[in-house]
Amino acid sequence: RDYCAAFINIDLAAVGSWAERNNVAYASYQELAANPDVIRTITRHIEQVNQDLSKDPQLAGSQIKRFLVLHKQLDADDGELTRTRKVRRGVIKEKYAEIIDAIYGDRDMVHIDTVITFQDGNKSRVQTDVRVVDLGGPAA
């Protein structure tokens, strides 16, 4: 690809604790991941990482230009991770093709319609819109 982009998964316990301390109400991972305050906080952190990367000529091209906060955690039960928590890139490339196209395109929103498998084997259909954040800046 022409530039670096990222899917971000939040740590529900850590971000949930942050949300409680900052009076951010949420009822689910999906709500917390889509919360504008959470996205603004993640944006600030990514901007700081980009600033640090820009100082190193060998890493400057690795700055994140666009990102989104996924509506769900990547999960071994959905085949997205191995049992040792390594990302299955082929599965991600196929399963999230529309999101990848959106993040590398000019779209600022992507509609999600998917089925999530829970640890207990139950499944739930999720329909939501996920915002793509464009940080601009230099492309690699």
Side-chain angles (χ1 to χ4, degrees), residues 31-129:
E31 283 184 22
L32 190 57
N35 184 285
D37 292 329
V38 170
I39 293 172
R40 273 191 293 277
T41 299
I42 291 170
T43 299
R44 284 193 302 270
H45 286 288
I46 291 174
E47 287 172 339
Q48 180 60 55
V49 168
N50 281 348
Q51 185 177 11
D52 293 345
L53 289 171
S54 72
K55 296 173 185 174
D56 184 330
Q58 292 181 326
L59 298 176
S62 299
Q63 295 175 64
I64 296 171
K65 182 177 176 186
R66 291 170 59 88
F67 76 92
L68 59 79
V69 180
L70 281 177
H71 60 289
K72 66 177 277 309
Q73 290 180 306
L74 296 180
D75 194 333
D77 291 333
D78 287 332
E80 300 158 340
L81 301 174
T82 67
R83 293 292 170 196
T84 57
R85 312 256 333 132
K86 293 180 184 127
V87 175
R88 290 191 163 141
R89 294 176 186 268
V91 172
I92 298 301
K93 182 179 177 182
E94 182 180 316
K95 187 172 184 177
Y96 292 96
E98 186 176 350
I99 293 175
I100 293 168
D101 289 345
I103 206 168
Y104 281 104
D106 60 359
R107 294 169 51 193
D108 61 355
M109 196 72 68
V110 61
H111 182 72
I112 306 294
D113 186 352
T114 189
V115 174
I116 296 175
T117 304
F118 296 100
Q119 287 180 334
D120 63 4
N122 288 329
K123 296 184 179 195
S124 177
R125 184 173 181 190
V126 173
Q127 294 180 325
T128 189
D129 291 320

